[in-house]
Amino acid sequence: MAQRTVLVVLFDGLQSLDVTGPVEVFAGAELLSPGAYRIRTASLDGAPVRSTSGLTLVPDESLATAPDPDILLVPGGTGGLRPDARLVDWVREHGPRAGRLVSVCTGAAVLARAGLLDGRRATTHWAYCDRLARDHPAVEIDPDPVYVRDGHIATSAGVTAGIDLALALVEEDLGRDAALTIARHLVVFLRRPGNQAQFSAQLAAQTAHREPLRDVQRWITDHPDADLCVDTLAARARLSPRHFARAFRAETGMTPGRYVDRVRLEHARRLLEDTADGIEEIARASGYGTPEAMRRAFVRTLGTPPAEYRRRFRPATTP
């Protein structure tokens, strides 16, 4: 097996975890399978860089002398939002030469400035998706997934999403068992699917201002198997269905139906990961009614049926 070179671009104002998270994954893969990866770090002039947290990182070399890598990783951080023009030029020239071009968090902004995301689907940290879409209208920004792969380019959300993406690349290169071993060592799940939402329904939706609507949000979370149609929820809030639907969307940022869908999916996922309950039992407990309805929801949202999701993401030993 040919050794793959991983080159991590360093710059002032980067988020240190965007670097160390993926690097630990690839380093773990190298320990597990010696010769699999050669990890290098490089800055514009080969000088140390300072992260947003104040940590100083010392690169291996200058970008000018760095080899064209198999995996080129651009981390995020506030520095990625205002990158040095020379860094953008270097990424524009060398990005297309990399076997796989990867960004973490606002590293996507560097790729976008270099024109490498034009006409492509991409993501970044949820807090910067609107900004990236506004500044780069030629890029199709998807704010929901943990990571997005479009051709040889992969973009990911913030911090831990870089670990998810690195694990996905290791699994692609070395197989699932290797990636699972690394994930267990790092005490993370192998692995969140790329199209899993960046955060839960409760975090994705704003908390409603009015108590009746907040009560409805809590009720949905606590009773995913209940009748959660708009008429029922509206009656609980003591509002007309039309007024309720309009107010819920205005105050939470999503429709009642979408909120219910997300809560039910999360509930089913937790049961698949944490229990030995059967698929039919989980479907009923999560409000789907039938295994087929749950299967359609999983395939539509996560791209995998429940049984396969359990096989891939349930820990080997469940308490």
Side-chain angles (χ1 to χ4, degrees):
M1 181 185 66
Q3 187 178 57
R4 299 170 177 85
T5 299
V6 179
L7 178 63
V8 183
V9 176
L10 303 184
F11 51 85
D12 284 323
L14 58 76
Q15 161 62 260
S16 59
L17 286 174
D18 290 356
V19 174
T20 58
V23 163
E24 289 294 343
V25 171
F26 292 119
E30 172 63 19
L31 287 173
L32 191 66
S33 182
Y37 296 102
R38 175 175 178 257
I39 304 166
R40 306 292 293 173
T41 58
S43 66
L44 273 172
D45 302 314
V49 302
R50 193 170 179 83
S51 73
T52 53
S53 64
L55 291 175
T56 297
L57 303 182
V58 181
D60 295 309
E61 58 195 311
S62 164
L63 287 173
T65 61
D68 287 331
D70 300 285
I71 300 173
L72 176 60
L73 190 148
V74 181
T78 55
L81 297 173
R82 299 180 298 275
D84 188 301
R86 295 177 300 158
L87 176 64
V88 175
D89 289 342
W90 187 91
V91 170
R92 181 183 296 115
E93 178 183 355
H94 293 267
R97 301 179 188 173
R100 284 170 288 187
L101 178 58
V102 175
S103 70
V104 182
C105 194
T106 53
V110 179
L111 304 190
R113 286 200 180 205
L116 300 179
L117 297 183
D118 288 355
R120 294 183 182 272
R121 180 169 165 260
T123 194
T124 186
H125 188 288
W126 62 269
Y128 297 99
C129 283
D130 287 346
R131 176 173 175 173
L132 192 61
R134 182 180 65 250
D135 293 346
H136 302 280
V139 183
E140 181 189 347
I141 302 299
D142 190 339
D144 286 334
V146 170
Y147 60 83
V148 169
R149 300 188 69 176
D150 189 330
H152 83 293
I153 298 179
T155 52
S156 62
V159 186
T160 56
I163 295 176
D164 293 308
L165 180 52
L167 285 168
L169 297 178
V170 168
E171 181 176 359
E172 186 177 287
D173 293 340
L174 304 181
R176 182 174 184 272
D177 288 345
L180 178 58
T181 298
I182 297 164
R184 286 174 176 163
H185 179 71
L186 296 177
V187 198
V188 297
F189 279 117
L190 173 73
R191 60 183 162 72
R192 290 185 294 177
N195 54 358
Q196 180 174 316
Q198 290 191 25
F199 34 58
S200 70
Q202 289 81 1
L203 291 179
Q206 304 166 38
T207 300
H209 300 300
R210 286 180 281 179
E211 180 57 34
L213 297 181
R214 290 201 300 270
D215 176 71
V216 167
Q217 286 180 291
R218 289 192 292 267
W219 174 263
I220 292 171
T221 301
D222 294 340
H223 303 86
D225 58 338
D227 176 4
L228 300 178
C229 69
V230 169
D231 287 352
T232 300
L233 297 177
R236 185 168 189 83
R238 299 186 179 182
L239 297 170
S240 71
R242 183 176 180 180
H243 185 191
F244 168 77
R246 185 168 60 246
F248 190 94
R249 182 167 188 170
E251 294 199 20
T252 68
M254 65 176 64
T255 65
R258 188 175 185 190
Y259 188 81
V260 168
D261 288 344
R262 287 196 173 192
V263 168
R264 283 175 168 163
L265 188 71
E266 288 169 15
H267 188 265
R269 281 180 38 238
R270 285 195 297 270
L271 292 179
L272 287 168
E273 293 171 2
D274 299 337
T275 77
D277 295 348
I279 298 295
E280 186 172 351
E281 183 179 355
I282 291 174
R284 287 196 306 269
S286 302
Y288 289 109
T290 67
E292 176 57 24
M294 185 168 78
R295 188 193 71 81
R296 288 196 300 268
F298 267 68
V299 171
R300 180 175 63 251
T301 308
L302 301 178
T304 187
E308 176 63 13
Y309 181 92
R310 166 172 273 174
R311 187 187 74 81
R312 293 177 66 85
F313 303 115
R314 184 184 175 194
T317 301
T318 300

